Amino acid sequence: MNRHRASRYQMRRNARRMRRYGVEPMALITEDLEFAPLVIASIARAVWRYRSELAPLTIAAAVLVTGVILRRWFPEWWPTVIIAVVLVAGAVAIWGRWVNLPRPIERGYAAVTTAFAGTWLTLAAYQGPFTAPLPAVLGIGTLVLAVPWWAHRRRRARVRVERTLAAWPDIAQAVGLAGSRVQSAIVDLWGYRFRLGLGLGQTVEDALTAVPRLESALGTTRGGVRVQPVASKKANRADVRVIETDPHADAIAWPGPSITSITQPVKLGLFEDGMPVRVPFLRRHGLFAGISGAGKSGGVNVLLGDLTACQDVILWAIDLKRGMELLPWSSCIDRLATTPQEAEALLADAVVILDGRADDLTRRGERVWEPSPERPALIIIIDEYAELASEAPRAIDYADSIARRGRAPAVNLIAATQRPSKEAMGKSAVRSQMDVRLCFRVREPRDGDLILGQGMVKAGWHPHKLDAPGKFLISSPEHDIPRRARSYLLGDERVAATAERHAEGRPSLDAVSLAALDAAASTAERHADAPTEEERTSPRHARQTAPKRGDSVLWAVLRDAPENGITVDELKTATGMSRPTIYRRLSQLENDGRVRQVSRGRWRARLDPDPA
């Protein structure tokens, strides 16, 4: 009795499965009411299960039946058939990519198969399908052409995925997602992904919680399943991606600069599906964070490789490791600070530029600074921001001001640090204003929340599971779902070659910024030189008549400079002039054609008569 009930239950279960996947069961009334339906259901189930493997035989049978029909009722159509075959085979060979045949070898196989079937149909219509040797030709040709079909990797992967997902009701029951259903599935080079319709009352967070159980049920490796919300933001949908071959197992070589203007999005790397990670940095502050050795510096190098190719951006940099990380880019960096004092002065000057640009925008009646080669944006790269907070605390006030007010005047910060805690970042405005956040590997989940924002780990952002240098998660207005990516690899030799190539033609600071720096320097010098009341009444003050060195001294130094030129720091030492004043005067002399830039950051007078 129990066996009879089990058989009926199994029949109903098989019938439900066949209806779900397009097969309608048939019931025959015979003397053996139990055996016949089971046999028919088993055969139908086997045929449906192996429909992909049986496809060549099915097509051969269809071609044979079509040949019989043509010979019996339409024998005069054989010229039309051969013309149609030539057209179809040619169309498949040329435009097959539009019907899911992306590779040339796949299009060639489809064209050959079409030509074979069409030629056989033509001969069958003209001579008869059973005229020797046509039956043997059809059989042998079917077996020969079936071998590539049976061996095709993508077909076998698709069949395997279909069979795995066919058992989804049982899998869903086992992992705690009963009632969910697979809506669609796509096989790619590295695995497959499917759209999951969640059951009543289930959310994406429930699917995220079930990820370890999904990995076990689907037979993948640990960390091989990704669950994320769908782009349409529907609460009862989730995208599940199963990684069978890690696309980021090997480093990805940097293909070269992807932009020529800061107004274009920078390409930092590739997502797991091969799509590029494109991020706009104009009027945005950025944060690169992760443990030591996770790939932060590599990500910053990729960013610099693109930014140095832009003619509408000035780069300043702070590297308190004495320039170990950013010094290779010095030929493209307009100003590089390697000590706490230089860092503080650099950020102070950046605030001056910010204020000067804001005043200029007000006078023009404009809201934002539009970058151009004549009016470039200013981006400040800060490596190991935590060192800045501990060694130059006064600089944090300037960084905080830039973070709050620097977007409209196009003065932006890009900070790299290991752990952006409150102590490391100083005031909270800097971290809270970071629109673009790249999180490389971290040790603990709470560090992911610290970098990406509170609650992000619970929402599916798991940087603590990243397993190789260069892998990262990105959070920005364009990237609001957790997708793993890997940054390009830009080695030391490539950095040196790129910096040398991009050093030529780098823009100079705009007139508005130079004027603001000059005005601030003049004010500071007046305050520094102003004597106190006691000094003014002192007899010694009357004897202090040492004159200041000016443009004539600057010209003399430039004229006597060596063939490889002289740097701004050397000019500052020789003339006693401030750096902003030197920059402004050099810009004027260069526009007048009296000095030239021998190499990046090194100047020399032209061999013309003394302008004085």
Side-chain angles (χ1 to χ4, degrees):
M1 184 67 179
N2 292 334
R3 181 179 179 184
H4 180 67
R5 289 181 179 176
S7 299
R8 286 191 298 176
Y9 171 75
Q10 189 175 8
M11 287 175 58
R12 288 196 299 270
R13 183 179 180 186
N14 291 335
R16 285 196 300 270
R17 287 186 175 180
M18 287 187 291
R19 283 196 301 270
R20 185 181 302 122
Y21 297 107
V23 174
E24 293 294 335
M26 296 181 295
L28 298 179
I29 300 177
T30 65
E31 293 182 358
D32 191 350
L33 295 178
E34 291 187 2
F35 180 72
L38 287 177
V39 171
I40 294 171
S42 299
I43 294 174
R45 182 179 178 182
V47 170
W48 178 255
R49 178 178 178 83
Y50 296 102
R51 62 191 182 277
S52 179
E53 289 83 352
L54 295 174
L57 303 181
T58 304
I59 294 175
V63 169
L64 179 61
V65 172
T66 304
V68 171
I69 294 174
L70 286 174
R71 180 60 182 174
R72 177 67 178 82
W73 286 288
F74 310 101
E76 70 281 0
W77 280 20
W78 68 267
T80 305
V81 173
I82 193 64
I83 294 173
V85 167
V86 172
L87 294 177
V88 173
V92 169
I94 298 174
W95 297 295
R97 63 174 61 89
W98 301 109
V99 289
N100 199 26
L101 296 173
R103 301 173 61 191
I105 191 171
E106 294 176 348
R107 296 195 293 272
Y109 172 76
V112 169
T113 303
T114 302
F116 172 78
T119 303
W120 193 91
L121 282 175
T122 302
L123 295 174
Y126 183 74
Q127 296 180 348
F130 299 106
T131 302
L134 288 183
V137 169
L138 180 62
I140 296 173
T142 299
L143 292 177
V144 171
L145 292 173
V147 172
W149 172 261
W150 289 330
H152 192 263
R153 180 197 58 80
R154 195 147 56 96
R155 183 204 63 81
R156 289 186 288 111
R158 187 183 298 112
V159 171
R160 179 169 43 81
V161 171
E162 288 177 354
R163 291 173 183 170
T164 301
L165 298 182
W168 180 257
D170 297 333
I171 294 175
Q173 187 73 30
V175 302
L177 295 174
S180 61
R181 62 197 182 280
V182 176
Q183 296 181 323
S184 61
I186 299 175
V187 178
D188 56 29
L189 292 175
W190 301 286
Y192 60 95
R193 59 183 182 271
F194 57 92
R195 175 66 53 83
L196 186 63
L198 298 171
L200 188 65
Q202 295 174 353
T203 64
V204 177
E205 285 71 22
D206 296 326
L208 287 169
T209 305
V211 164
R213 297 189 293 275
L214 276 173
E215 293 171 351
S216 174
L218 295 174
T220 67
T221 59
R222 295 182 61 184
V225 173
R226 320 274 192 262
V227 175
Q228 61 190 33
V230 300
S232 62
K233 300 185 184 300
K234 287 188 175 181
N236 62 343
R237 299 286 188 275
D239 282 335
V240 181
R241 181 174 178 81
V242 180
I243 303 296
E244 297 177 329
T245 303
D246 188 0
H248 292 156
D250 300 322
I252 308 171
W254 185 57
S258 60
I259 61 174
T260 56
S261 171
I262 188 60
T263 59
Q264 301 167 342
V266 177
K267 188 163 69 172
L268 296 174
L270 296 177
F271 288 114
E272 286 183 327
D273 58 1
M275 297 297 293
V277 184
R278 296 186 182 274
V279 188
F281 278 91
L282 175 61
R283 283 186 280 276
R284 286 183 178 178
H285 306 299
L287 175 64
F288 289 62
I291 64 173
S292 179
K296 297 187 307 297
S297 297
V300 172
N301 279 336
V302 172
L303 177 61
L304 284 170
D306 275 17
L307 293 181
T308 54
C310 300
Q311 300 297 314
D312 54 0
V313 58
I314 291 285
L315 293 172
W316 288 6
I318 298 174
D319 184 359
L320 296 185
K321 292 193 226 177
R322 303 304 183 190
M324 289 175 55
E325 297 292 344
L326 300 179
L327 193 60
W329 294 100
S330 60
S331 60
C332 297
I333 294 175
D334 198 68
R335 187 170 172 183
L336 176 62
T338 58
T339 65
Q341 295 76 19
E342 292 177 349
E344 182 178 331
L346 183 148
L347 291 174
D349 287 347
V351 173
V352 170
I353 291 176
L354 186 156
D355 292 333
R357 291 185 174 186
D359 293 339
D360 182 72
L361 291 175
T362 302
R363 288 192 297 269
R364 291 172 174 264
E366 299 174 355
R367 295 182 60 86
V368 294
W369 183 277
E370 296 295 345
S372 66
E374 294 75 26
R375 293 165 62 88
L378 175 61
I379 292 184
I380 304 168
I381 311 290
I382 305 177
D383 190 55
E384 294 300 342
Y385 192 93
E387 295 294 324
L388 182 69
S390 62
E391 297 188 22
R394 289 184 58 188
I396 297 300
D397 294 331
Y398 298 126
D400 185 73
S401 180
I402 296 171
R404 287 185 287 104
R405 303 188 296 122
R407 301 191 183 195
V411 179
N412 301 113
L413 296 174
I414 304 294
T417 187
Q418 294 186 22
R419 192 171 184 269
S421 62
K422 183 177 180 180
E423 294 76 14
M425 299 298 290
K427 294 188 177 181
S428 60
V430 175
R431 187 175 60 184
S432 63
Q433 294 296 327
M434 296 294 183
D435 267 355
V436 179
R437 302 188 183 191
L438 272 70
C439 183
F440 295 81
R441 185 165 65 92
V442 297
R443 295 192 184 278
E444 300 178 0
R446 62 179 180 177
D447 291 338
D449 281 339
L450 190 64
I451 296 169
L452 297 168
Q454 192 63 33
M456 297 294 274
V457 171
K458 185 178 179 181
W461 301 71
H462 297 153
H464 57 286
K465 294 185 178 180
L466 299 175
D467 56 2
K471 291 187 177 182
F472 65 91
L473 296 172
I474 179 169
S475 173
S476 71
E478 300 81 19
H479 305 286
D480 57 355
I481 58 177
R483 300 173 63 191
R484 295 192 184 189
R486 183 159 190 172
S487 64
Y488 293 121
L489 176 63
L490 189 57
D492 293 340
E493 294 182 0
R494 191 79 184 276
V495 167
T498 302
E500 182 180 359
R501 183 171 65 253
H502 292 170
E504 297 297 329
R506 294 290 302 152
S508 300
L509 212 59
D510 58 282
V512 173
S513 301
L514 288 171
L517 289 173
D518 191 45
S522 300
T523 302
E525 288 176 359
R526 286 198 303 270
H527 283 40
D529 293 341
T532 63
E533 182 66 23
E534 181 179 357
E535 290 175 337
R536 284 197 300 270
T537 58
S538 172
R540 181 181 298 178
H541 176 69
R543 295 192 298 268
Q544 291 176 348
T545 58
K548 293 184 179 180
R549 292 173 290 180
D551 288 350
S552 59
V553 177
L554 176 64
W555 176 257
V557 175
L558 288 169
R559 185 182 54 197
D560 297 336
E563 290 294 331
N564 63 342
I566 188 171
T567 65
V568 173
D569 289 335
E570 293 170 339
L571 288 172
K572 180 180 177 181
T573 302
T575 63
M577 300 170 67
S578 66
R579 185 188 295 268
T581 303
I582 293 174
Y583 272 118
R584 180 178 60 81
R585 187 57 181 149
L586 286 174
S587 179
Q588 294 172 352
L589 292 173
E590 187 179 26
N591 292 335
D592 294 339
R594 301 188 179 188
V595 300
R596 63 188 180 91
Q597 197 170 11
V598 179
S599 61
R600 183 62 182 165
R602 303 189 71 88
W603 303 79
R604 188 174 186 275
R606 293 186 181 275
L607 299 178
D608 295 332
D610 192 325

